[in-house]
Every structure is written in C-alpha cells, then in structure tokens.
Amino acid sequence: MIPDKFDYHRPESVQDAVALLARYGEAARAIAGGHSLIPMMKLRMADVSHLVDLQAIGALKGIAVDGGTITIGAMTTQHELIASEPLARAAPILREAALQIADPQVRYVGTVGGNVANGDPGNDMPGLMQCLDATYVLTGSGGTREVTARDFYEAAYFTARADDELLVAIRFAAPRGGHAYEKQKRKIGDYATAAAAVLIAMEGGTCSAASIAMTNLSDTPVYCADAVDALVGTRLDAAALDAAVAAMQGAIDPQEDNRGPVDFKKHVAGVVLRRAIARAASRA
Ligand SMILES: Cc1cc2nc3c(=O)[nH]c(=O)nc-3n(C[C@H](O)[C@H](O)[C@H](O)COP(=O)(O)OP(=O)(O)OC[C@H]3O[C@@H](n4cnc5c(N)ncnc54)[C@H](O)[C@@H]3O)c2cc1C
C-alpha cells in the first residue's frame, strides 16, 4: 500500500519544528529516520496529514561525553551510536544493544530519538534507557522539560510526550561496573522475543548495585526494581538469580503472538536475564 496524501515540511530549527507540530496538532507527526513511521503510514495505521522532517535540524545531532555525563541528540543514528569510540568507552552497552537492532541498512537511517519516542514495546532502546536511568529532554511550545525513561512509557505507542513536543536529547550518567544487552529473536533483523538490559557493580565479590530492564514482554518496557533488590547485597549465587528471575517474571506481562505463547516468552525472558546477569557480572 502507499500512504495517504500528506504535506511535507522541512524546518531547520527545533523552534520551527515545534511551531509546526503545535499548528497542526494531531494531524502532524515528526519524522526522523522513517523506519517505523513510514511502514505505519503505508499500512494506514498512522494517519498523518503533515509530516515534519527533522533531518535538517543540526542541533538534534551528535554525541557528547562530558565527564561522567553522556548526552545524545535525538537525530543521532543507531549507526553513529555504534561508530562512536568515546561512547563505547563511556557506555559500551549502547554499542552492544545497537548492534542487535535490525540490520545495517536500518541502523544507518534509524535514529535513537525515533526508537525511544516511538513507544513500540518491540524497540530495543527504551528498555536500555530505563536500565541506564536516562532522562529525555522534550521541547514544546511551553518550553523544555525533562522526563525519565522510567516514567515516559504509558502503554503501547502512548508516552508522556505531548503532541507539540519534540524529543531533543537523551542524557544519562556513564554506568559503573559491568553491562550486558542480551536479546533473543527469531532471526537476524527481527524484533526481540525477549531482551534484557543489565548493569551490575561488584565490590569484594558482592553485588553492590544493579539495574535491569526487559524489552517486548509487556506493552511498555519493564524496569524490574524487585529483581534488582533480589541481587543487590548477594554474591549472585543460585538462590539470588532464581529470586531475580522470579521477580522479573512477576513484573512482565507478555501476550501470545507469532513470537510464541505466554509461558514460552516468560521462559525465554528468564534465559536472557540469566545470561545478561552472568555476562554483566563477568565484566564488573
Ligand atoms: C526491518 C526493520 C527491522 C527493525 N528491527 C528493529 C529491532 O530489532 N529493534 C528496534 O529497536 N527497532 C527495530 N526497527 C525500528 C528501527 O530501529 C526504527 O528506525 C526506529 O524504531 C525508529 O527510528 P526512526 O528514526 O526511523 O523514527 P521514525 O520512524 O521516523 O519515527 C518513529 C516515531 O517516533 C516519532 N519521533 C521520531 N523522532 C522524534 C523526535 N525527535 N521527537 C518526537 N517524536 C519523534 C515519530 O513521529 C514516529 O511516531 C526495525 C525497523 C525495520 C524497518
């Protein structure tokens, strides 16, 4: 199918883009890489009369690693995340996760902002950003505000972003300790059947801090506070791992679909979480 008719706008500043979003309201949509939005328009699942292309807004691009703080412009592509050596040194989990998104063709065009703003539970970056406790910087006609990734997702395709707001940047502290992004998918290029983003810090053989978020196991990404509590203060022994997996499985709410029935997804979620904890701990 081809999309319905739309007007195309190419603003050169955040202010102009926001003004267009405010003027046309629900009829307008920002377009970044277009790798989620254009398929939705072709399937007539997104009704867009005004497409606001963000490609000409230079202020939305780039990666800054400043001391312990990392700021990524919304229009930074997934390929640029993978290619950035400063980012790989400061937060290597970004490269590990981005390499598991789709394929190189998608990653050359797909942006981190589009990935996290989309609200698709299958996207890999939202769970990763919850694991990193990232903050999203949003600019709208009322000014700029910040929302944490853990508070941003409300339901599938529903987020805390207002219609006239643009996601301009993502900010987080460089993570401490070991990391892992573990993703189970049906084939190369597929969305996750289940994925786990994990950070683990160890002191003297004891887990001193952790962070865990799961992808595509609910209608939003799931930050697993109880699973974290099950690990912190332990030596990551079998009982702690079992408790963390049980807590995670109690927090997710997978639905049966062409990736499998609910019990299978919960099982796979446990497998990826155990693998991610083991790899993160081995790097801590
Ligand atoms: C074959 C294929 C396989 C894929 N596999 C995966 C996968 O395994 N994992 C994965 O995570 N993704 C996957 N994707 C999706 C891909 O990563 C998309 O590029 C990404 O989800 C959206 O980024 P985009 O820049 O293309 O955004 P777009 O498609 O342009 O936009 C997506 C949504 O976000 C909104 N938006 C975009 N930027 C902003 C902004 N700055 N402020 C406010 N709203 C904004 C748009 O209005 C739209 O609603 C796949 C895509 C394809 C085509």
Side-chain angles (χ1 to χ4, degrees):
M1 281 174 67
I2 56 167
D4 208 348
K5 275 190 190 167
F6 56 85
D7 286 345
Y8 176 79
H9 307 267
R10 196 175 169 90
E12 293 184 0
S13 70
V14 170
Q15 288 67 29
D16 288 351
V18 165
L20 286 162
L21 293 178
R23 185 183 317 156
Y24 296 113
E26 282 185 1
R29 237 7 141 75
I31 183 165
H35 271 33
S36 289
L37 183 56
I38 289 177
M40 299 276 279
M41 290 170 66
K42 286 183 166 179
L43 292 168
R44 306 282 172 113
M45 289 167 69
D47 184 14
V48 181
S49 310
H50 293 272
L51 209 48
V52 179
D53 189 347
L54 306 180
Q55 292 288 346
I57 307 178
L60 294 177
K61 294 179 183 163
I63 299 168
V65 180
D66 184 7
T69 302
I70 296 158
T71 308
I72 304 176
M75 285 298 288
T76 305
T77 65
Q78 295 152 14
H79 170 75
E80 287 164 339
L81 297 182
I82 294 165
S84 168
E85 290 304 332
L87 184 63
R89 279 194 295 276
I93 195 170
L94 266 290
R95 179 181 279 177
E96 184 162 300
L99 277 167
Q100 297 180 61
I101 292 177
D103 51 50
Q105 285 169 301
V106 171
R107 299 194 298 253
Y108 273 119
V109 182
T111 65
V112 64
N115 199 290
V116 304
N118 197 22
D120 181 342
N123 282 145
D124 287 285
M125 290 282 158
L128 174 64
M129 295 306 168
Q130 290 197 340
C131 179
L132 288 163
D133 198 12
T135 295
Y136 297 164
V137 183
L138 303 165
T139 297
S141 21
T144 294
R145 68 186 179 113
E146 300 187 347
V147 181
T148 66
R150 293 179 192 172
D151 289 334
F152 187 72
Y153 299 96
E154 296 170 347
Y157 300 103
F158 286 89
T159 69
R161 187 183 67 81
D163 284 343
D164 73 339
E165 284 182 318
L166 271 189
L167 173 70
V168 294
I170 299 165
R171 196 180 63 235
F172 53 90
R176 298 187 294 122
H179 68 276
Y181 192 79
E182 183 74 27
K183 176 174 173 177
Q184 176 65 41
K185 53 198 177 195
R186 295 171 300 181
K187 58 183 172 60
I188 292 294
D190 194 18
Y191 290 86
T193 300
V198 171
L199 297 171
I200 298 275
M202 302 291 290
E203 277 172 33
T206 296
C207 176
S208 56
S211 187
I212 296 172
M214 307 298 292
T215 289
N216 221 8
L217 294 159
S218 218
D219 63 352
T220 63
V222 180
Y223 179 72
C224 300
D226 290 344
V228 168
D229 289 345
L231 296 181
V232 175
T234 75
R235 300 180 77 80
L236 302 182
D237 51 86
L241 296 181
D242 288 349
V245 168
M248 175 277 291
Q249 287 170 331
I252 61 177
D253 182 24
Q255 303 298 310
E256 178 167 349
D257 59 17
N258 56 5
R259 291 188 172 79
V262 169
D263 286 349
F264 171 73
K265 289 187 174 185
K266 286 195 168 183
H267 172 73
V268 176
V271 172
V272 296
L273 180 56
R274 283 178 196 278
R275 287 182 188 163
I277 293 170
R279 197 159 73 247
S282 74
R283 292 163 163 170

